[in-house]
DNA sequence: AATGAATGAGGATTCATTCAT
DNA sequence: TATGAATGAATCCTCATTCAT
C-alpha cells in the first residue's frame, strides 16, 4: 500500500534512495504510533513519543503528516483497507448466501483483522476523540452497509420495500457489539462475539425473504 | 471582612454549619462540572475551570474529591441513581408484563433521564476515558440486567435453561444503541431509539416463553 | 507602586512572608524582562528567557501574569506612571506658563524618564507589536493631551474655537519625534530633541493667544 | 512531463529563457510577498507562505534572495523608486515654487504611492523590525531631503546659514505623521494628512526667505 | 478544614535555513 | 540552477497535584 494519502504530506521524490528512505520513515512512524497506541492508549500517542520511538526529530514528523491526528488517521485507513480486503476474500468463498452466512462471514472477517491490528481496536473502540477518524470510519461503515445490502438484494434475499437503513443500523450495532467485546481485552470476548452475530442475524432476518433466511446458492 | 465586632458574642457553631457548607460546595462543584461537560466536553472539565466556576480555590477541590476523575464519577453515580429510580417507578406502573413492555419501559426510562441529565450523555457516550466511571457503569449494568432477569423469570417469561447472560448482553447492546443515538445530538435520534427497542425486543424474544411474548398480567 | 494590575493575576495573600516573596518575584520578573528588552529587543523577551533570568519555572510566570504580553504591559504601565509623576513635578515648578515652556517642560520630562527607563524606549519606539501596550499608551497620550489642553485653556492661552484635537496631534507628533531621536540610540539624539521641541512649539503657537505665546504668570 | 520527444530537435536556448524565468519568478515572489504583507502583516510573511503562494519550492527562494529579509527589502526598494518617480513628475508640474507648494506636492505624492502600494505602508509603518529596510529608507530619506533642499536653495527660498538638517528633520517628521495617519487605515486619515502638511510647512517656513514663503515662479 | 503558592512535566506546532543531489 | 528533504531551535501555554501554612 502506498503511504500517500490526502492527510499525509507526501513529498514528490526524484530519486529512488530518497523515495525508499521516505517510505521507510513513514512506515516507521506508523509502526511506532501503533505500538504506542497499544501500550499507552490513544492519549499516549504524542509527537514527542512518536519521534523518540522512530528516532526522528519531532519536526520531521511534519514532513510526512499534517499533524498528529493525521498519523492516527493513516493507521486507521490502512487497517480499514485490510478489512475490506478480508471481507471480500471471505465472502467470495461462500457457496450459499444467507443472512446468517453473510453476517457471520463479515463479522468474523472483522475479528480476524482486529486480531492482526490491535492498534485499530484501541483507536476505534477506546478512544473516539479524533473527529477525522470518526468520520472516516463512519463513512466506511455506510459504504459497506450499502454494498452488502446490494449483494443481498441482487440475490433476492431482501423483502420488497426494505431500504438500506436497516443494513446501516445493523452495521453500527455490530460495531458496538465489537466495541463491547474488545473493550476489556484485545482478543475480544468470544462468547460476546457469537451472541452478537446471533443478535444481528436475528434483527436482519426480520427484513429478509424466506430465501434470504434459508440461503441461496451462489451462481 | 466580616462585620462582627470584637465585643459581640459570636456563637461558636462549628460543626453543623461546616457540614452544610461542605454539602453546598460539593453540590456546587458537581453542578459546575456538569455544565462544563455539556458546554466543552469531558476534556473541558479541568480543575481550574471547575474551581473558577464554583468560585473556589483549586486546592479546595481536593478537600471533597480525591482527584479530578472522582468528580466525574460522582456525577455519574448521581445520574445512575436517578435512572434506577425512574425505571422502578415506570415498571411499577405496568399492568401487563411482556418482553416488549419491559424493554420499552426500561429503555424509555433511560431516555427520560438522558434528557434531564445531558452531562451523563456526554461523559458516558462521548468520553470513555475514565476507567472508574467505566467500571461503575458496567457494574451497574450487570446488576440491572440481573434484576430485570429475576423479574421476568418470576413472571414465567423466560424459557427453561436460559441464564442471565442474555439479559446482560441485551442491556449492553441497548447501551450501545443509545450511544449511537446520542452521539451527535443530546436529544437522541428518535428513529434510532425506536429501532433499538425493536432490536433488543426481537433478540430477547428468542429466549422468551410464549407468555413472555404475549404478556402476563401483573398480580 | 503596587504591582497589582488588571492584567496581572495577583493572588490574594494571607501572610506577610508570602506577600513579600510574591512581590519580590513580580519585581524580579519585571527586572529581567526589562533587561532582556534592552539587550535583545522585544523579540528577545520569551517566557523561557524571563524564567531563566529570574530563576523561576516557566509555569510560575503564569501565577503573576496572564501571558507574555502582560509582562510587557506591566513594564510600560510602570514607566508611564513615572512619566506622569515627572511631568507633574516639573510643570509645578514653572513660574510662567507659555506654549513654549509647557512644551519644553513636558518633552524634557519625557526624556528624563526615557533615560531612566531604557526598556520603555525599546518597547515603545522599536517594537510596536503588542496591541495591549499600543492601546494603553495611545489612551494615555490622549488623556495627557486633554489634561495639558485644559491647563492651557484655563490659563487663557488657547484661542477661541480651538479644540483639543490640536493638542492630541501635537502629543502624537512629539511622540514620533522621540521615536526618531531614540531609534538608534538609547540616549536620544539631543539635536533632534531640541528641534522637535521647536517644531511642536511652532505648531501649537499657531493656535495660541498672544498671552499663550508671551507667557502668563502662574498664580 | 514535457511533451518533447527524443527525436525532435529541441533548440538549445539556455540563456534567455532562464533569465526570463528567473525574472518571472522574482516578480512572482514579490507579488506574493506583497499580498501576504497586506493580508497578514509583516509577521505573516514566512518563507513557506511565499513559496506556497508563488508555487515554488521553499529552497528556490534562496536562489533569488539571500534570506527572508531580502524579500521585504526588495519590495521596499521597488516602492521607494516609485515614490521618487512620482515626486519628480509632480514637482515638475509646479509653476510656482514655495515652501508650501513643495511640501504639499511632495507629501501628496507619497500618499499617492502609499495608496498604490499598501504593502509598503504595512512594512514601513507597522513593522519596523527589519534593520536592512530601516537603513535603506532612512538613507533614502536623507538623500531626498538633500535634493529638495538643493532645489529650494537654488530657487532662493532658504535663508542664509540654514543647513540641510532642517530639511532632514522635516522629512522624518513628515514620515512620522504618515505613520500616524496610516497606522489604523491603509487609506490614511485625510484630516491628519492635511494637518501634517500644515505642520511641516509651518516648521520649514521658520527657515524660509520671504520669497520662499510667497513663492517664486519656475523658470 | 482551607488555601495561596508553586511547579514538573509535557503539549503541539512553526520557522528559516541548509545541503546533498 | 534547482529542489526535496531534513532539522535544530524555539515558541507559548496548560494542567493536575502538592504542601506549608
Amino acid at each position: 500500500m502506498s503511504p500517500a494519502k490526502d492527510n499525509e504530506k507526501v513529498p514528490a521524490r526524484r530519486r529512488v534512495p530518497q523515495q525508499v528512505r521516505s517510505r521507510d520513515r513513514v512506515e516507521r512512524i506508523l509502526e511506532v504510533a501503533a505500538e504506542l497506541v497499544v501500550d499507552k492508549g490513544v492519549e499516549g500517542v504524542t509527537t514527542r513519543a512518536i519521534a523518540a520511538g522512530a528516532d526522528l526529530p519531532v519536526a520531521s514528523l511534519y514532513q510526512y503528516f499534517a499533524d498528529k491526528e493525521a498519523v492516527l488517521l493513516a493507521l486507521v485507513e490502512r487497517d480499514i483497507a485490510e478489512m475490506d480486503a478480508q471481507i471480500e476474500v471471505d465472502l467470495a468463498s461462500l457457496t450459499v448466501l444467507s443472512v446468517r452466512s453473510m453476517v457471520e462471514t463479515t463479522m468474523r472477517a472483522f475479528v480476524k483483522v482486529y486480531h492482526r491490528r490491535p492498534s485499530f481496536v484501541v483507536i476505534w473502540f477506546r478512544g473516539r476523540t479524533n473527529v477525522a477518524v470518526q468520520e472516516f470510519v463512519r463513512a466506511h461503515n455506510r459504504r459497506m452497509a450499502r454494498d452488502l445490502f446490494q449483494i443481498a438484494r441482487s440475490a433476492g434475499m431482501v423483502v420488497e420495500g426494505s431500504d438500506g437503513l436497516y443494513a446501516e443500523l445493523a452495521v453500527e450495532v455490530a460495531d458496538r457489539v465489537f466495541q463491547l467485546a474488545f473493550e476489556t481485552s484485545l482478543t475480544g470476548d468470544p462468547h460476546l462475539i457469537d451472541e452478537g452475530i446471533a443478535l444481528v442475524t436475528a434483527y436482519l432476518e426480520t427484513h429478509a425473504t424466506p430465501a434470504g433466511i434459508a440461503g441461496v446458492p451462489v451462481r
Side-chain angles (χ1 to χ4, degrees), chain A residues 6-212:
Chain A
D6 279 353
N7 57 91
E8 296 177 29
K9 296 181 196 158
V10 173
R13 333 174 183 90
R14 218 171 38 186
R15 311 230 167 188
V16 174
Q18 293 284 29
Q19 196 179 10
V20 167
R21 199 168 358 139
S22 204
R23 203 174 52 217
D24 278 0
R25 289 177 145 213
V26 168
E27 266 157 30
R28 220 157 69 229
I29 291 169
L30 292 180
E31 205 176 296
V32 170
E35 271 171 36
L36 284 169
V37 160
V38 173
D39 292 353
K40 320 203 169 175
V42 173
E43 316 252 296
V45 183
T46 67
T47 52
R48 270 154 135 85
I50 296 175
D55 195 31
L56 284 177
V58 180
S60 291
L61 290 183
Y62 291 85
Q63 285 277 334
Y64 309 106
F65 296 94
D67 56 26
K68 198 190 65 166
E69 307 298 289
V71 178
L72 292 178
L73 183 54
L75 229 40
V76 165
E77 286 178 344
R78 187 185 66 176
D79 299 345
I80 289 268
E82 212 172 305
M83 285 165 205
D84 283 342
Q86 185 72 54
I87 291 168
E88 196 178 341
V89 167
D90 291 0
L91 278 183
S93 72
L94 284 184
T95 54
V96 175
L97 276 190
S98 67
V99 168
R100 171 165 303 275
S101 72
M102 282 185 72
V103 168
E104 172 131 35
T105 303
T106 306
M107 288 181 74
R108 299 246 178 252
F110 271 99
V111 171
K112 283 183 203 171
V113 182
Y114 292 160
H115 285 162
R116 281 206 297 275
R117 301 294 192 186
S119 61
F120 180 88
V121 169
V122 176
I123 296 174
W124 184 236
F125 293 139
R126 300 189 196 164
R128 299 228 159 157
T129 322
N130 187 316
V131 177
V133 165
Q134 211 165 150
E135 282 170 359
F136 181 82
V137 177
R138 204 46 67 80
H140 174 264
N141 279 355
R142 269 196 294 274
R143 208 178 330 117
M144 195 181 61
R146 239 188 345 258
D147 291 350
L148 292 171
F149 182 72
Q150 283 307 333
I151 293 174
R153 189 153 65 179
S154 303
M157 298 162 62
V158 181
V159 294
E160 207 60 34
S162 209
D163 63 10
L165 277 181
Y166 297 107
E168 276 188 35
L169 180 61
V171 167
E172 292 292 354
V173 167
D175 187 71
R176 297 314 157 116
V177 168
F178 286 137
Q179 188 184 36
L180 203 54
F182 285 85
E183 203 150 59
T184 49
S185 127
L186 283 178
T187 54
D189 178 331
H191 181 58
L192 225 49
I193 293 168
D194 291 346
E195 266 313 294
I197 291 171
L199 186 150
V200 174
T201 302
Y203 174 62
L204 284 177
E205 285 185 338
T206 65
H207 296 282
T209 58

